Amino acid sequence: MKRSVSDILCSKMVSSLYGVLFAVGLCAPIYCVTPANAPSGYTHHSSAKSTPASQVYSLNTDFAFHLYRRLVLETPSQNVFFSPMSVSTSLAMLSLGAHSVTKTQILQGLGFNLTHTPESAIHQGFQRLVHSLTVPSKKLILKMGSALFIKKELQLQANFLRNVKRLYEAEVFSTDFSNPSIAQMRINSHVEKKTQGKVVDIIQGLDLLTAMVLVNHIFFKAKWEKPFYPAYTRKSFPFLVGNQATVHVPMMHQKEQFAFGVDAELNCFVLQMDYRGDAMAFFVLPGKGKMRQLEQTLSARTLRKWSHSLQKRWIEVFIPKFSISASYNLETILPKMGIQSAFDKNADFSGITKRDSLQVSKATHKAVLDVSEEGTEAAAATATKFIVRAKDGPSYFTVSFNRTFLMMITNKAIDSIFFLGKVENPTKP
């Protein structure tokens, strides 16, 4: 017997909150030289260490590595790439409408100790973080934004609407979910536009029970401080996948001064490459068979140690030219990190709407990364900056990223990771 739409809706005590957490990173890679002063890295101000923003930045880094370890378990022997900043910002924004256990689990899952850090301070820290990413820069593009697509009939709490706009600068769109395919098209079009075409069709399978879709996007495009010269890229270079298999990849090549260090304790090489502007990338190459040991020890403290200990020196570096992407269903991953209530029938989002019971039915995250020689400027300009030095030039250390390595994109002034990934096989998009 066929059931009408009204029968279906009436039979459901819980409306669905379809949470979409996603990010995209576009790096037009760039070769870097560290500024002439001392070891480069994050800018730390002693007076800022106890501010809400500094707490958010540091805990975001620990959350990034916590989520990374979980993604590695979920997708063994595969490339991993995501934006921890996008995920944590989306969860923090969602917590504005959560109450009781649901709120506690979200904020504790992000790493906050609620007896030491008031909720207001948490949102104040995220507010500063979000605002810092909306300041335009001529040297790089870094944009993060949030949007709520809300069912027309849903009566939202005024306080929730006010806070998501004020603290997270979110856009809010009244949406007709009675035609799921049209609503899906509208949301996907918004995402595609905001990410300059890099993320398409992120929403799949909306249904009549969908009450709200939460979208967060982050887009990054930058040029290396000194681009790689394409003529020096080796078209086919062996890259070790796993313990025995080998694939061939285009391998970029550069000889210059880089911020570089060897972490004897963790048995890895750490290379910092600067982008024009405040962003930088860390490439981390563990010793053979030492990746798991490295992954287990990653923390905000580890990153700070590297930032302060790297020294500028002559390096010959080989880095693959590659494009990778990854998608994750966070509704199956976050509960394993303690954020459970939001995804089950016990969810309490009465801070969003009192009239309807909501729960998160879906949380999708998608990230894309492109690494190549050039930025957006013509390659001809970079050729004049690349000098082939005489044989009697300075001695240099050679490091080749020809096996599984980690990559992080961060900011010199913010202790937060924009993007984090593991390149297991650079030939798999």
Side-chain angles (χ1 to χ4, degrees):
M1 186 178 83
K2 291 186 177 180
R3 303 169 68 194
S4 68
V5 171
S6 59
D7 288 336
I8 294 173
L9 293 176
C10 289
S11 68
K12 295 286 185 178
M13 295 299 291
V14 180
S15 299
S16 299
L17 170 64
Y18 191 113
V20 181
L21 319 177
F22 87 93
V24 57
L26 170 63
C27 324
I30 320 147
Y31 133 156
C32 74
V33 179
T34 308
N37 50 357
S40 59
Y42 300 111
T43 302
H44 289 279
H45 302 286
S46 57
S47 61
K49 285 187 182 289
S50 61
T51 66
S54 65
Q55 290 180 38
V56 166
Y57 300 159
S58 182
L59 288 172
N60 263 349
T61 302
D62 282 326
F63 172 77
F65 292 131
H66 188 193
L67 179 54
Y68 169 81
R69 282 187 280 270
R70 177 54 60 180
L71 295 178
V72 169
L73 287 175
E74 298 288 330
T75 56
S77 302
Q78 294 182 30
N79 294 329
V80 173
F81 188 66
F82 68 105
S83 172
M85 184 178 292
S86 175
V87 176
S88 62
T89 300
S90 298
L91 288 171
M93 187 168 72
L94 193 62
S95 76
L96 281 171
H99 284 160
S100 64
V101 175
T102 305
K103 179 190 290 287
T104 302
Q105 286 184 355
I106 292 174
L107 295 178
Q108 287 183 345
L110 289 173
F112 292 99
N113 183 328
L114 298 178
T115 60
H116 295 135
T117 308
E119 186 187 352
S120 59
I122 294 172
H123 293 297
Q124 183 185 341
F126 273 101
Q127 180 185 27
R128 181 176 171 185
L129 174 63
V130 170
H131 182 71
S132 70
L133 299 181
T134 60
V135 178
S137 169
K138 293 180 180 179
K139 294 183 178 180
L140 59 80
I141 300 173
L142 177 60
K143 296 179 179 178
M144 185 168 75
S146 300
L148 292 174
F149 294 84
I150 299 167
K151 183 179 178 180
K152 287 181 177 180
E153 297 80 9
L154 204 64
Q155 295 183 2
L156 297 185
Q157 298 276 43
N159 196 46
F160 173 75
L161 266 182
R162 183 169 56 251
N163 283 331
V164 296
K165 291 178 180 179
R166 179 177 65 88
L167 298 171
Y168 292 87
E169 302 181 21
E171 298 178 276
V172 179
F173 302 100
S174 178
T175 307
D176 182 5
F177 286 109
S178 65
N179 190 326
S181 60
I182 292 178
Q184 180 173 302
M185 190 182 305
R186 181 186 182 190
I187 296 168
N188 284 338
S189 176
H190 174 86
V191 171
E192 186 172 348
K193 180 180 178 181
K194 290 291 186 179
T195 60
Q196 299 190 14
K198 297 300 292 185
V199 170
V200 297
D201 297 331
I202 185 145
I203 298 293
Q204 299 289 334
L206 284 185
D207 58 38
L208 291 169
L209 294 177
T210 301
M212 188 171 84
V213 174
L214 183 157
V215 171
N216 176 274
H217 60 84
I218 180 168
F219 181 81
F220 175 77
K221 183 175 182 179
K223 296 176 287 185
W224 296 119
E225 196 169 273
K226 291 184 180 178
F228 285 93
Y229 187 32
Y232 288 106
T233 296
R234 302 187 183 184
K235 294 183 178 179
S236 182
F237 197 96
F239 185 97
L240 184 64
V241 178
N243 295 323
Q244 295 180 331
T246 299
V247 296
H248 285 80
V249 298
M251 186 68 80
M252 302 183 297
H253 178 215
Q254 182 75 264
K255 287 183 187 177
E256 250 302 343
Q257 289 182 323
F258 297 95
F260 180 79
V262 179
D263 189 327
E265 182 184 357
L266 298 181
N267 197 349
C268 63
F269 297 123
V270 183
L271 173 70
Q272 177 188 315
M273 301 184 69
D274 293 344
Y275 294 101
R276 295 182 186 178
D278 290 331
M280 57 190 178
F282 285 98
F283 292 89
V284 186
L285 183 70
K288 289 184 179 179
K290 299 296 183 180
M291 175 60 82
R292 185 171 179 80
Q293 174 192 340
L294 174 63
E295 290 173 335
Q296 295 303 314
T297 54
L298 290 172
S299 66
R301 181 178 173 275
T302 305
L303 199 53
R304 282 195 295 270
K305 178 181 72 172
W306 289 344
S307 299
H308 290 302
S309 63
L310 301 185
Q311 299 286 338
K312 186 172 68 173
R313 62 190 71 184
W314 286 100
I315 300 289
E316 179 179 29
V317 61
F318 294 86
I319 295 179
K321 177 180 179 179
F322 65 95
S323 297
I324 62 173
S325 65
S327 297
Y328 303 102
N329 295 321
L330 296 181
E331 73 274 10
T332 65
I333 295 169
L334 293 175
K336 297 173 184 176
M337 299 172 63
I339 304 176
Q340 301 165 333
S341 177
F343 299 95
D344 62 32
K345 62 182 180 181
N346 297 315
D348 183 351
F349 287 107
S350 54
I352 297 177
T353 173
K354 283 188 176 178
R355 190 174 148 189
D356 299 273
S357 297
L358 302 174
Q359 73 180 65
V360 180
S361 62
K362 185 79 174 169
T364 302
H365 182 91
K366 183 173 184 179
V368 180
L369 172 68
D370 297 325
V371 174
S372 64
E373 305 95 344
E374 310 94 345
T376 55
E377 295 182 350
T382 67
T384 60
K385 296 179 182 179
F386 190 100
I387 302 171
V388 179
R389 290 176 171 77
K391 291 182 179 179
D392 59 352
S395 60
Y396 51 83
F397 188 94
T398 299
V399 58
S400 179
F401 289 83
N402 60 354
R403 61 179 185 272
T404 304
F405 63 90
L406 302 181
M407 181 182 179
M408 300 172 230
I409 298 176
T410 68
N411 185 283
K412 295 177 184 177
I414 300 174
D415 270 351
S416 282
I417 299 174
F418 298 152
F419 300 96
L420 172 58
K422 175 169 68 170
V423 180
E424 187 88 24
N425 184 345
T427 65
K428 287 195 173 182

